Amino acid sequence: MSGIHNSCGLCSIEMKNISVISGEDTLLDNVNLTFHCGELTALIGKNGAGKTTLLRTLLGERHYKGNISFTDHHGTVLPTPKIGYVPQHLDFDKSMPVSVSDFIAAAKGGRAVWFGKNKKMKENIRKMLDDMDCGYLADRRLGALSGGELQRVLLALATDPVPDLLVLDEPVSGVDMAGLDLFYKRIMELRDKQHMAVLLVSHDLGLIRQYADKVVLLDKTVVAEGEADEVFATKAFREAFGFSPEEVAEWK
């Protein structure tokens, strides 16, 4: 891609022979995957396929067998890569009198919102939101935001500082079409300008075809991977989602 600004020091994330077991249940079995910077990789699969487990494993929240390595452009292993995360839902009391800037200050500074914000912090928060075209939300009550507005705020928080890997777990669930288009536009800009690796879990297969550089079909292990049309044409995909080849061909 032309005009890429290599802000992130990461080159690739490699998962080798990753297995996750909970009690007698195998949640992931011998997963081998590589994610590259400057690419958006979409993770798909039916419910229970292990998508959330894989994300939590990458985030360091699950015990696993195997090896995960983060490597920079010189082949050097990075012990502590920066990972940004946008969850599917943010659980909070929507009646709380907390503004967007209060929420960001608390998240970034680890301080209670009632301690207030100094001038520099306010300026930094405003710039962070402006970069996502949502600076106007700074003083809005967090609980009054629409689904799309909240996801843009969470994306702003997840990408400051610029992460090596951005993980998006069903980030536009319940977001209207206008908010959805804007959200994905920002993701593409981050991928291209910051050259970060992006890992997306989504059930919106039409959007995945439009935006993903690579698609991984998971069923506790990797059963198909490649460009969207390649994966959508596999027998494993049809068995997982129940679509015929003709139906897939009609997607825009």
Side-chain angles (χ1 to χ4, degrees):
M1 301 173 197
S2 61
I4 289 175
H5 176 59
N6 292 323
S7 292
C8 112
L10 190 68
C11 179
S12 65
I13 305 107
E14 188 171 14
M15 306 182 76
K16 283 186 177 181
N17 305 321
I18 299 299
S19 296
V20 176
I21 297 173
S22 177
E24 298 182 354
D25 297 326
T26 299
L27 306 182
L28 292 177
D29 182 23
N30 197 36
V31 170
N32 290 276
L33 279 175
T34 302
F35 311 111
H36 293 281
C37 278
E39 284 187 355
L40 189 156
T41 300
L43 191 63
I44 64 173
K46 59 189 178 183
N47 291 336
K51 302 184 296 297
T52 297
T53 298
L54 190 147
L55 295 190
R56 292 182 63 191
T57 301
L58 274 174
L59 293 168
E61 297 176 357
R62 293 300 304 244
H63 177 74
Y64 63 90
K65 294 181 180 179
N67 183 65
I68 300 175
S69 60
F70 300 82
T71 309
D72 69 11
H73 297 272
H74 305 290
T76 303
V77 174
L78 302 175
T80 54
K82 298 187 294 292
I83 300 178
Y85 175 60
V86 179
Q88 181 177 2
H89 299 293
L90 181 68
D91 293 325
F92 67 100
D93 183 354
K94 292 188 177 183
S95 67
M96 290 191 306
V98 174
S99 70
V100 167
S101 58
D102 288 336
F103 167 71
I104 293 176
K108 292 187 72 65
R111 55 188 287 161
V113 297
W114 53 82
F115 286 160
K117 304 175 291 294
N118 59 38
K119 182 179 179 181
K120 184 177 181 180
M121 182 180 290
K122 289 180 180 179
E123 290 174 350
N124 289 342
I125 290 172
R126 186 58 183 249
K127 182 182 183 305
M128 185 194 315
L129 294 171
D130 281 340
D131 287 344
M132 290 294 160
D133 286 344
C134 59
Y136 63 94
L137 297 175
D139 297 322
R140 187 85 58 85
R141 187 170 59 82
L142 189 68
L145 301 185
S146 69
E149 290 170 339
L150 179 58
Q151 290 307 86
R152 272 188 284 159
V153 169
L154 293 176
L155 181 60
L157 187 59
T159 54
D160 184 86
V162 175
D164 298 308
L165 170 65
L166 178 61
V167 176
L168 308 169
D169 187 5
E170 290 282 354
V172 291
S173 178
V175 176
D176 62 26
M177 186 58 66
L180 190 149
D181 287 340
L182 183 56
F183 187 87
Y184 275 103
K185 179 182 176 184
R186 288 291 170 264
I187 296 299
M188 295 303 101
E189 290 175 353
L190 288 166
R191 179 199 64 181
D192 294 345
K193 293 180 180 178
Q194 306 293 357
H195 200 52
M196 68 178 64
V198 182
L199 178 59
L200 165 73
V201 170
S202 177
H203 287 96
D204 196 322
L205 301 173
L207 282 170
I208 284 174
R209 168 179 266 173
Q210 183 177 353
Y211 291 110
D213 298 296
K214 182 172 78 172
V215 175
V216 174
L217 175 58
L218 198 69
D219 188 4
K220 301 186 186 298
T221 192
V222 177
V223 293
E225 65 177 306
E227 294 184 357
D229 286 338
E230 294 173 344
V231 173
F232 293 173
T234 63
K235 179 181 178 182
F237 176 84
R238 295 193 295 273
E239 289 177 347
F241 293 99
F243 292 110
S244 69
E246 292 76 21
E247 288 174 309
V248 173
E250 292 176 356
W251 294 348
K252 301 297 183 182

Short mmCIF file of all heavy atoms in Angstrom, two decimals, residues 186-229:
data_model
loop_
_atom_site.label_atom_id
_atom_site.label_comp_id
_atom_site.label_asym_id
_atom_site.label_seq_id
_atom_site.Cartn_x
_atom_site.Cartn_y
_atom_site.Cartn_z
N ARG A 186 -13.10 4.38 9.48
CA ARG A 186 -12.02 4.71 10.41
C ARG A 186 -11.06 3.53 10.57
O ARG A 186 -9.85 3.71 10.65
CB ARG A 186 -12.61 5.09 11.77
CG ARG A 186 -13.31 6.43 11.77
CD ARG A 186 -12.30 7.56 11.62
NE ARG A 186 -12.97 8.83 11.38
CZ ARG A 186 -13.17 9.36 10.17
NH1 ARG A 186 -12.73 8.72 9.09
NH2 ARG A 186 -13.78 10.50 10.03
N ILE A 187 -11.58 2.32 10.60
CA ILE A 187 -10.73 1.14 10.72
C ILE A 187 -9.79 1.03 9.52
O ILE A 187 -8.59 0.75 9.66
CB ILE A 187 -11.57 -0.14 10.84
CG1 ILE A 187 -12.41 -0.12 12.12
CG2 ILE A 187 -10.68 -1.38 10.81
CD1 ILE A 187 -11.60 -0.04 13.39
N MET A 188 -10.32 1.28 8.32
CA MET A 188 -9.49 1.21 7.12
C MET A 188 -8.39 2.28 7.13
O MET A 188 -7.26 2.03 6.72
CB MET A 188 -10.35 1.38 5.86
CG MET A 188 -11.35 0.26 5.63
SD MET A 188 -10.59 -1.38 5.52
CE MET A 188 -10.92 -2.01 7.15
N GLU A 189 -8.74 3.46 7.62
CA GLU A 189 -7.74 4.53 7.71
C GLU A 189 -6.63 4.15 8.69
O GLU A 189 -5.45 4.39 8.43
CB GLU A 189 -8.41 5.83 8.15
CG GLU A 189 -9.30 6.45 7.08
CD GLU A 189 -10.05 7.67 7.58
OE1 GLU A 189 -9.96 7.96 8.79
OE2 GLU A 189 -10.71 8.33 6.77
N LEU A 190 -7.01 3.56 9.82
CA LEU A 190 -6.01 3.14 10.80
C LEU A 190 -5.11 2.04 10.22
O LEU A 190 -3.89 2.07 10.40
CB LEU A 190 -6.70 2.62 12.07
CG LEU A 190 -7.37 3.66 12.94
CD1 LEU A 190 -8.29 3.00 13.95
CD2 LEU A 190 -6.33 4.51 13.66
N ARG A 191 -5.71 1.11 9.54
CA ARG A 191 -4.91 0.03 8.93
C ARG A 191 -3.90 0.60 7.94
O ARG A 191 -2.72 0.21 7.94
CB ARG A 191 -5.85 -0.95 8.20
CG ARG A 191 -5.14 -2.09 7.50
CD ARG A 191 -6.02 -2.73 6.46
NE ARG A 191 -6.32 -1.78 5.38
CZ ARG A 191 -7.09 -2.07 4.33
NH1 ARG A 191 -7.65 -3.26 4.23
NH2 ARG A 191 -7.32 -1.17 3.40
N ASP A 192 -4.34 1.52 7.09
CA ASP A 192 -3.48 2.03 6.03
C ASP A 192 -2.46 3.05 6.54
O ASP A 192 -1.28 2.99 6.18
CB ASP A 192 -4.34 2.67 4.93
CG ASP A 192 -5.20 1.66 4.21
OD1 ASP A 192 -4.95 0.44 4.36
OD2 ASP A 192 -6.14 2.06 3.50
N LYS A 193 -2.91 3.98 7.37
CA LYS A 193 -2.01 5.06 7.81
C LYS A 193 -1.06 4.62 8.91
O LYS A 193 0.10 5.02 8.94
CB LYS A 193 -2.83 6.27 8.27
CG LYS A 193 -3.60 6.95 7.15
CD LYS A 193 -4.39 8.13 7.69
CE LYS A 193 -5.17 8.83 6.57
NZ LYS A 193 -5.98 9.96 7.10
N GLN A 194 -1.55 3.81 9.84
CA GLN A 194 -0.73 3.39 10.97
C GLN A 194 -0.12 2.02 10.77
O GLN A 194 0.71 1.59 11.57
CB GLN A 194 -1.57 3.40 12.26
CG GLN A 194 -2.25 4.72 12.55
CD GLN A 194 -1.29 5.85 12.88
OE1 GLN A 194 -0.09 5.63 12.95
NE2 GLN A 194 -1.81 7.04 13.08
N HIS A 195 -0.53 1.31 9.73
CA HIS A 195 0.03 0.00 9.37
C HIS A 195 -0.13 -1.01 10.51
O HIS A 195 0.74 -1.87 10.72
CB HIS A 195 1.51 0.16 9.01
CG HIS A 195 2.03 -0.99 8.19
ND1 HIS A 195 1.42 -1.42 7.04
CD2 HIS A 195 3.11 -1.80 8.36
CE1 HIS A 195 2.09 -2.43 6.53
NE2 HIS A 195 3.12 -2.70 7.32
N MET A 196 -1.21 -0.89 11.26
CA MET A 196 -1.41 -1.81 12.37
C MET A 196 -2.09 -3.09 11.89
O MET A 196 -2.76 -3.11 10.84
CB MET A 196 -2.25 -1.16 13.48
CG MET A 196 -3.68 -0.89 13.10
SD MET A 196 -4.64 -0.17 14.47
CE MET A 196 -3.82 1.39 14.74
N ALA A 197 -1.91 -4.16 12.66
CA ALA A 197 -2.64 -5.39 12.41
C ALA A 197 -4.02 -5.26 13.06
O ALA A 197 -4.13 -4.78 14.19
CB ALA A 197 -1.89 -6.58 13.00
N VAL A 198 -5.04 -5.67 12.33
CA VAL A 198 -6.41 -5.58 12.85
C VAL A 198 -7.03 -6.98 12.80
O VAL A 198 -7.00 -7.64 11.76
CB VAL A 198 -7.27 -4.61 12.01
CG1 VAL A 198 -8.68 -4.51 12.60
CG2 VAL A 198 -6.62 -3.22 11.94
N LEU A 199 -7.58 -7.41 13.92
CA LEU A 199 -8.28 -8.69 14.00
C LEU A 199 -9.72 -8.42 14.37
O LEU A 199 -10.01 -7.85 15.43
CB LEU A 199 -7.62 -9.60 15.04
CG LEU A 199 -8.27 -10.97 15.26
CD1 LEU A 199 -8.30 -11.77 13.96
CD2 LEU A 199 -7.54 -11.76 16.33
N LEU A 200 -10.63 -8.80 13.50
CA LEU A 200 -12.05 -8.50 13.63
C LEU A 200 -12.87 -9.77 13.73
O LEU A 200 -12.72 -10.68 12.91
CB LEU A 200 -12.51 -7.69 12.41
CG LEU A 200 -14.02 -7.56 12.16
CD1 LEU A 200 -14.65 -6.62 13.18
CD2 LEU A 200 -14.29 -7.07 10.75
N VAL A 201 -13.74 -9.84 14.74
CA VAL A 201 -14.76 -10.88 14.80
C VAL A 201 -16.08 -10.25 14.39
O VAL A 201 -16.48 -9.22 14.93
CB VAL A 201 -14.89 -11.48 16.22
CG1 VAL A 201 -16.11 -12.38 16.30
CG2 VAL A 201 -13.64 -12.27 16.58
N SER A 202 -16.74 -10.84 13.40
CA SER A 202 -18.00 -10.28 12.93
C SER A 202 -18.85 -11.37 12.29
O SER A 202 -18.32 -12.34 11.73
CB SER A 202 -17.74 -9.16 11.90
OG SER A 202 -18.96 -8.67 11.39
N HIS A 203 -20.17 -11.19 12.38
CA HIS A 203 -21.10 -12.08 11.70
C HIS A 203 -21.62 -11.45 10.41
O HIS A 203 -22.39 -12.09 9.69
CB HIS A 203 -22.29 -12.41 12.61
CG HIS A 203 -21.95 -13.35 13.72
ND1 HIS A 203 -21.63 -12.92 14.99
CD2 HIS A 203 -21.85 -14.70 13.75
CE1 HIS A 203 -21.36 -13.97 15.76
NE2 HIS A 203 -21.49 -15.06 15.04
N ASP A 204 -21.22 -10.23 10.11
CA ASP A 204 -21.70 -9.54 8.91
C ASP A 204 -20.80 -9.92 7.73
O ASP A 204 -19.79 -9.28 7.46
CB ASP A 204 -21.68 -8.02 9.13
CG ASP A 204 -22.52 -7.30 8.07
OD1 ASP A 204 -22.50 -7.75 6.90
OD2 ASP A 204 -23.19 -6.31 8.41
N LEU A 205 -21.19 -10.96 7.04
CA LEU A 205 -20.34 -11.53 6.00
C LEU A 205 -20.22 -10.63 4.79
O LEU A 205 -19.20 -10.64 4.09
CB LEU A 205 -20.87 -12.92 5.61
CG LEU A 205 -20.93 -13.92 6.77
CD1 LEU A 205 -21.62 -15.20 6.33
CD2 LEU A 205 -19.55 -14.22 7.31
N GLY A 206 -21.24 -9.82 4.53
CA GLY A 206 -21.16 -8.88 3.42
C GLY A 206 -20.09 -7.82 3.66
O GLY A 206 -19.32 -7.48 2.76
N LEU A 207 -20.03 -7.31 4.89
CA LEU A 207 -19.01 -6.33 5.23
C LEU A 207 -17.62 -6.95 5.25
O LEU A 207 -16.63 -6.31 4.86
CB LEU A 207 -19.32 -5.70 6.59
CG LEU A 207 -20.42 -4.64 6.59
CD1 LEU A 207 -20.80 -4.28 8.01
CD2 LEU A 207 -19.98 -3.40 5.84
N ILE A 208 -17.55 -8.18 5.69
CA ILE A 208 -16.26 -8.88 5.68
C ILE A 208 -15.75 -9.01 4.25
O ILE A 208 -14.57 -8.77 3.98
CB ILE A 208 -16.41 -10.25 6.35
CG1 ILE A 208 -16.49 -10.08 7.87
CG2 ILE A 208 -15.25 -11.18 5.97
CD1 ILE A 208 -16.77 -11.34 8.62
N ARG A 209 -16.63 -9.36 3.33
CA ARG A 209 -16.20 -9.45 1.93
C ARG A 209 -15.70 -8.10 1.44
O ARG A 209 -14.74 -8.03 0.66
CB ARG A 209 -17.36 -9.92 1.06
CG ARG A 209 -17.08 -9.76 -0.44
CD ARG A 209 -18.23 -10.25 -1.27
NE ARG A 209 -18.03 -11.64 -1.66
CZ ARG A 209 -18.95 -12.37 -2.28
NH1 ARG A 209 -20.13 -11.87 -2.54
NH2 ARG A 209 -18.69 -13.60 -2.63
N GLN A 210 -16.32 -7.02 1.88
CA GLN A 210 -15.96 -5.68 1.41
C GLN A 210 -14.63 -5.20 1.99
O GLN A 210 -13.83 -4.57 1.29
CB GLN A 210 -17.06 -4.68 1.78
CG GLN A 210 -16.82 -3.27 1.29
CD GLN A 210 -17.99 -2.35 1.62
OE1 GLN A 210 -19.04 -2.80 2.10
NE2 GLN A 210 -17.81 -1.07 1.35
N TYR A 211 -14.37 -5.50 3.27
CA TYR A 211 -13.25 -4.86 3.95
C TYR A 211 -12.08 -5.77 4.32
O TYR A 211 -10.95 -5.28 4.46
CB TYR A 211 -13.74 -4.18 5.23
CG TYR A 211 -14.61 -2.99 5.00
CD1 TYR A 211 -15.98 -3.01 5.27
CD2 TYR A 211 -14.08 -1.80 4.49
CE1 TYR A 211 -16.79 -1.91 5.06
CE2 TYR A 211 -14.88 -0.69 4.27
CZ TYR A 211 -16.23 -0.75 4.55
OH TYR A 211 -17.02 0.34 4.34
N ALA A 212 -12.29 -7.04 4.51
CA ALA A 212 -11.23 -7.89 5.06
C ALA A 212 -10.17 -8.23 4.01
O ALA A 212 -10.48 -8.52 2.85
CB ALA A 212 -11.82 -9.18 5.62
N ASP A 213 -8.91 -8.19 4.45
CA ASP A 213 -7.81 -8.65 3.59
C ASP A 213 -7.70 -10.18 3.63
O ASP A 213 -7.33 -10.80 2.64
CB ASP A 213 -6.49 -8.05 4.07
CG ASP A 213 -6.48 -6.54 4.00
OD1 ASP A 213 -6.57 -6.01 2.88
OD2 ASP A 213 -6.42 -5.89 5.06
N LYS A 214 -8.01 -10.74 4.78
CA LYS A 214 -7.95 -12.19 4.96
C LYS A 214 -9.09 -12.63 5.85
O LYS A 214 -9.47 -11.91 6.78
CB LYS A 214 -6.61 -12.61 5.57
CG LYS A 214 -6.44 -14.11 5.74
CD LYS A 214 -5.03 -14.50 6.16
CE LYS A 214 -4.77 -14.26 7.61
NZ LYS A 214 -3.47 -14.82 8.06
N VAL A 215 -9.64 -13.80 5.58
CA VAL A 215 -10.72 -14.37 6.38
C VAL A 215 -10.26 -15.71 6.94
O VAL A 215 -9.67 -16.52 6.21
CB VAL A 215 -12.01 -14.55 5.55
CG1 VAL A 215 -13.09 -15.24 6.37
CG2 VAL A 215 -12.51 -13.20 5.04
N VAL A 216 -10.53 -15.93 8.22
CA VAL A 216 -10.21 -17.20 8.87
C VAL A 216 -11.52 -17.80 9.38
O VAL A 216 -12.25 -17.17 10.15
CB VAL A 216 -9.24 -17.00 10.05
CG1 VAL A 216 -9.04 -18.31 10.81
CG2 VAL A 216 -7.91 -16.45 9.57
N LEU A 217 -11.82 -19.00 8.92
CA LEU A 217 -13.00 -19.74 9.39
C LEU A 217 -12.55 -20.69 10.48
O LEU A 217 -11.70 -21.56 10.26
CB LEU A 217 -13.65 -20.51 8.24
CG LEU A 217 -14.83 -21.42 8.59
CD1 LEU A 217 -15.95 -20.64 9.27
CD2 LEU A 217 -15.34 -22.13 7.34
N LEU A 218 -13.12 -20.50 11.66
CA LEU A 218 -12.71 -21.26 12.84
C LEU A 218 -13.81 -22.23 13.26
O LEU A 218 -14.99 -21.89 13.25
CB LEU A 218 -12.42 -20.28 13.99
CG LEU A 218 -11.59 -20.80 15.17
CD1 LEU A 218 -10.15 -21.05 14.73
CD2 LEU A 218 -11.61 -19.76 16.30
N ASP A 219 -13.42 -23.44 13.61
CA ASP A 219 -14.31 -24.39 14.26
C ASP A 219 -13.45 -25.18 15.26
O ASP A 219 -13.09 -26.34 15.04
CB ASP A 219 -14.97 -25.33 13.26
CG ASP A 219 -16.06 -26.19 13.91
OD1 ASP A 219 -16.32 -25.99 15.13
OD2 ASP A 219 -16.63 -27.06 13.23
N LYS A 220 -13.07 -24.46 16.31
CA LYS A 220 -12.11 -24.92 17.33
C LYS A 220 -10.69 -25.03 16.78
O LYS A 220 -9.72 -24.97 17.53
CB LYS A 220 -12.55 -26.22 17.99
CG LYS A 220 -13.91 -26.11 18.68
CD LYS A 220 -14.25 -27.37 19.43
CE LYS A 220 -15.66 -27.34 20.00
NZ LYS A 220 -15.86 -26.26 20.97
N THR A 221 -10.57 -25.20 15.48
CA THR A 221 -9.28 -25.13 14.79
C THR A 221 -9.54 -24.40 13.48
O THR A 221 -10.69 -24.10 13.13
CB THR A 221 -8.70 -26.54 14.55
OG1 THR A 221 -7.34 -26.41 14.14
CG2 THR A 221 -9.49 -27.30 13.50
N VAL A 222 -8.50 -24.06 12.75
CA VAL A 222 -8.66 -23.35 11.48
C VAL A 222 -9.10 -24.34 10.42
O VAL A 222 -8.37 -25.30 10.10
CB VAL A 222 -7.35 -22.66 11.06
CG1 VAL A 222 -7.52 -21.99 9.70
CG2 VAL A 222 -6.92 -21.64 12.12
N VAL A 223 -10.30 -24.13 9.85
CA VAL A 223 -10.80 -25.04 8.83
C VAL A 223 -10.71 -24.45 7.42
O VAL A 223 -10.80 -25.17 6.43
CB VAL A 223 -12.25 -25.50 9.13
CG1 VAL A 223 -12.29 -26.35 10.38
CG2 VAL A 223 -13.18 -24.30 9.29
N ALA A 224 -10.52 -23.12 7.34
CA ALA A 224 -10.31 -22.48 6.05
C ALA A 224 -9.74 -21.09 6.29
O ALA A 224 -10.08 -20.43 7.27
CB ALA A 224 -11.61 -22.37 5.25
N GLU A 225 -8.86 -20.62 5.40
CA GLU A 225 -8.36 -19.26 5.46
C GLU A 225 -7.92 -18.81 4.08
O GLU A 225 -7.56 -19.62 3.24
CB GLU A 225 -7.22 -19.12 6.47
CG GLU A 225 -5.95 -19.85 6.14
CD GLU A 225 -4.86 -19.58 7.17
OE1 GLU A 225 -4.55 -18.41 7.43
OE2 GLU A 225 -4.31 -20.56 7.71
N GLY A 226 -8.00 -17.51 3.87
CA GLY A 226 -7.64 -16.94 2.57
C GLY A 226 -8.45 -15.69 2.33
O GLY A 226 -9.03 -15.11 3.26
N GLU A 227 -8.54 -15.25 1.08
CA GLU A 227 -9.40 -14.12 0.74
C GLU A 227 -10.86 -14.53 0.94
O GLU A 227 -11.20 -15.71 0.92
CB GLU A 227 -9.15 -13.67 -0.69
CG GLU A 227 -7.77 -13.09 -0.91
CD GLU A 227 -7.58 -12.55 -2.31
OE1 GLU A 227 -8.51 -12.67 -3.14
OE2 GLU A 227 -6.49 -12.01 -2.59
N ALA A 228 -11.71 -13.52 1.12
CA ALA A 228 -13.11 -13.79 1.46
C ALA A 228 -13.77 -14.75 0.48
O ALA A 228 -14.40 -15.74 0.88
CB ALA A 228 -13.89 -12.48 1.54
N ASP A 229 -13.65 -14.49 -0.81
CA ASP A 229 -14.33 -15.32 -1.80
C ASP A 229 -13.81 -16.75 -1.78
O ASP A 229 -14.57 -17.69 -2.03
CB ASP A 229 -14.17 -14.71 -3.19
CG ASP A 229 -15.05 -13.48 -3.38
OD1 ASP A 229 -16.04 -13.35 -2.64
OD2 ASP A 229 -14.74 -12.64 -4.25
#
